[in-house]
Amino acid sequence: MPTKSQELFQRALKVLPGGVNSPVRAFRAVGGDPIFLTSGKGSQLTDVDGRNYIDYVLSWGPLILGHCHAEVTAALVEALARGTSYGACTPAEVELGEQICEAYPSIERVRLVNSGTEATMAALRLARAATGRDKILKFEGCYHGHGDSLLVKAGSGVATLGLPDSPGVPRALAELTVTVPFNDPAAVEEAFRVHRNQLAAVILEPVVGNVGCVPPRPGFLERVRALTAEQGTVLIIDEVMTGFRVAYGGAQQLYKIQPDLTTLGKVIGGGLPVGAYGGKAALMDQIAPAGPVYQAGTLSGNPLAVRAGLKTLEILRRPGSYERLEQLTARLAEGIKQRAAAAGIPVTINRVGSMFTVFFTGQAVTDYATAKTSDTARFGKFFRGLLERGVYFPPSQFEAAFMSLAHTEEDIARTIEAAGQTFESLWTP
Ligand SMILES: *Cc1c(COP(=O)(O)O)cnc(C)c1O
């Protein structure tokens, strides 16, 4: 008897490419069919077959408060009763702009958009306009959404599926994207020498999340900041994943780095579609209608998404939020590490705050190349072992897992036990 999820996936395959609306949902890297979900509450997900899972995907990061938080839901219901969108100015978007500028001192002005992809595309256009240069530099394995210029040596689903740089990106455009390994200051220096005064922007994930979690080496971000400043290159820190996640003020607060532009998304929408880009007034005032660089959006800053974001940030500002996320995630990572060691399974666990990845490799993971030393077949077995035991991890080795404020000590204990049993089942003499 097929499960309801399996039946739905067969139907989905007929009408959606690959059966999904975003590639990594398809479970291709871990085997088996995806589960279809009907509801989420707190740390728990429920699928169409009535099975429950402790969720560490959290919609790929946005749900830092967990699913269906009572206060966020109440804010949304209240906003909903007043209409979903006007395509005109509202008080709430001013408030969200103020909250973002207050939390990120590098952001003097901010523009709201509908996704992280939109934010990075617009930030690149602005950097190119402001510098009059075309080339950009990105890091191997960093994912900045699916914009043409950024789908070169990209992470996330592109890395998971082992895809080459995407067909359909004009070669002339891809050639303007220079890539170097993350955490390699010498490679960045070399790129700045070869493309002297030609780089419009450097864009990076300050903590990489899209090859799995990879923290920056001490001094790496500082070196990139110094080189970009020296050559008048716009430094774009893509905090779509890390913003309000690794700290309220993002990775730039944690590592004390001041970018020229920042991109945000995920957490700032509280589970609804939002992105944002912002930075120095002198740069942002080049955006239309303040300046000539065009970027617009029918639903940008829409009242529902902005309300969910504002309420999420308000709850995150309450004392102890980030301490709790840190403690829970540290405890989980330590527990998983001990159970892996006890079972004789080599793993490397990288973690920054409430972002983490269990890499199935004995090597330190510091960039895309070392992430790729992971045994992805073994990761697939680990993923399925957890799923069978009611724990939902990201269905790819090359993705970060997340903790929410809704997770409990009991969730952590159950997850460590599920991981331990799975590790034991993986061991082969
Ligand atoms: C998720 C992500 C994006 C893309 O955001 P979407 O909302 O999926 O378009 C961009 N950059 C980073 C670092 C991300 O993690």
Side-chain angles (χ1 to χ4, degrees):
M1 266 288 276
T3 63
K4 286 188 183 151
S5 282
Q6 285 166 335
E7 279 171 10
L8 276 164
F9 193 51
Q10 290 311 309
R11 276 171 59 196
L13 283 168
K14 295 205 178 88
V15 287
L16 311 174
V20 292
N21 280 315
S22 193
V24 285
R25 294 179 194 172
F27 281 28
R28 291 226 175 159
V30 290
D33 288 348
I35 49 172
F36 282 69
L37 302 165
T38 52
S39 64
K41 181 81 192 152
S43 62
Q44 303 284 320
L45 282 171
T46 303
D47 74 8
V48 286
D49 293 291
R51 299 197 56 190
N52 295 320
Y53 307 89
I54 306 169
D55 182 17
Y56 294 97
V57 179
L58 296 168
S59 191
W60 303 93
L63 299 178
I64 196 164
L65 306 178
H67 295 270
C68 205
H69 189 284
E71 291 176 70
V72 177
T73 304
L76 276 170
V77 167
E78 194 266 337
L80 189 57
R82 287 184 281 115
T84 53
S85 184
Y86 322 117
C89 304
T90 63
E93 61 187 349
V94 183
E95 215 181 304
L96 184 55
E98 287 167 351
Q99 291 297 345
I100 291 172
C101 291
E102 196 172 316
Y104 291 73
S106 72
I107 303 182
E108 292 170 352
R109 303 231 207 293
V110 62
R111 166 67 57 89
L112 300 181
V113 293
N114 301 290
S115 69
T117 296
E118 267 188 71
T120 58
M121 281 167 44
L124 272 193
R125 178 179 302 147
L126 174 55
R128 283 171 161 155
T131 57
R133 303 172 184 172
D134 289 338
K135 290 185 190 171
I136 61 154
L137 185 142
K138 79 177 278 290
F139 293 88
E140 291 168 11
C142 280
Y143 178 71
H144 305 289
H146 59 83
D148 279 345
S149 288
L150 294 164
L151 269 189
V152 180
K153 300 229 167 91
S156 189
V158 185
T160 300
L161 301 172
L163 298 175
D165 297 340
S166 180
V169 174
R171 179 176 307 160
L173 195 61
E175 280 170 4
L176 297 173
T177 302
V178 177
T179 60
V180 294
F182 192 74
N183 268 333
D184 185 345
V188 184
E189 280 160 18
E190 175 66 8
F192 269 91
R193 204 180 51 70
V194 173
H195 305 281
R196 185 164 187 77
N197 296 334
Q198 293 173 47
L199 292 169
V202 169
I203 184 165
L204 56 80
E205 291 182 71
V207 176
V208 185
N210 286 294
V211 294
C213 178
V214 177
R217 281 204 183 107
F220 175 67
L221 298 174
E222 290 82 349
R223 189 73 196 111
V224 175
R225 176 65 281 188
L227 285 161
T228 47
E230 232 169 81
Q231 293 198 15
T233 298
V234 175
L235 176 60
I236 306 170
I237 297 202
D238 181 358
E239 299 231 41
V240 170
M241 188 183 289
T242 53
F244 297 97
R245 163 63 66 183
V246 296
Y248 191 77
Q252 52 193 275
Q253 175 190 314
L254 203 59
Y255 299 107
K256 301 184 175 63
I257 282 293
Q258 294 275 302
D260 301 303
L261 291 176
T262 299
T263 50
L264 293 164
K266 299 194 170 123
V267 171
I268 61 162
L272 276 83
V274 188
Y277 63 104
K280 294 184 177 146
L283 271 173
M284 290 303 291
D285 286 348
Q286 298 182 39
I287 296 289
V293 181
Y294 202 71
Q295 185 273 312
T298 303
L299 294 173
S300 293
N302 88 83
L304 284 185
V306 167
R307 268 291 155 215
L310 274 172
K311 185 53 80 176
T312 298
L313 300 193
E314 181 195 319
I315 294 167
L316 286 173
R317 284 196 299 277
R318 291 177 190 160
S321 299
Y322 288 88
E323 289 79 359
R324 178 175 165 82
L325 286 167
E326 170 73 27
Q327 273 168 17
L328 285 177
T329 323
R331 185 128 70 239
L332 177 61
E334 187 51 38
I336 293 177
K337 191 171 146 192
Q338 283 174 9
R339 294 296 296 257
I345 303 288
V347 298
T348 292
I349 301 182
N350 283 354
R351 181 182 73 84
V352 177
S354 56
M355 272 171 78
F356 67 103
T357 299
V358 182
F359 290 102
F360 283 79
T361 176
Q363 283 195 40
V365 176
T366 57
D367 59 10
Y368 190 24
T370 45
K372 281 197 290 195
T373 65
S374 300
D375 182 340
T376 53
R378 197 172 244 187
F379 176 85
K381 289 182 188 154
F382 174 68
F383 170 83
R384 290 195 304 276
L386 289 181
L387 196 70
E388 279 163 23
R389 292 170 176 85
V391 175
Y392 186 57
F393 254 48
S396 163
Q397 175 70 95
F398 305 115
E399 297 285 356
F402 301 100
M403 185 69 72
S404 83
L405 282 174
H407 284 75
T408 62
E409 300 289 345
E410 197 202 323
D411 289 332
I412 305 305
R414 278 181 50 202
T415 305
I416 292 169
E417 183 52 31
Q421 288 177 14
T422 305
F423 287 134
E424 284 156 25
S425 76
L426 294 180
W427 192 83
T428 41

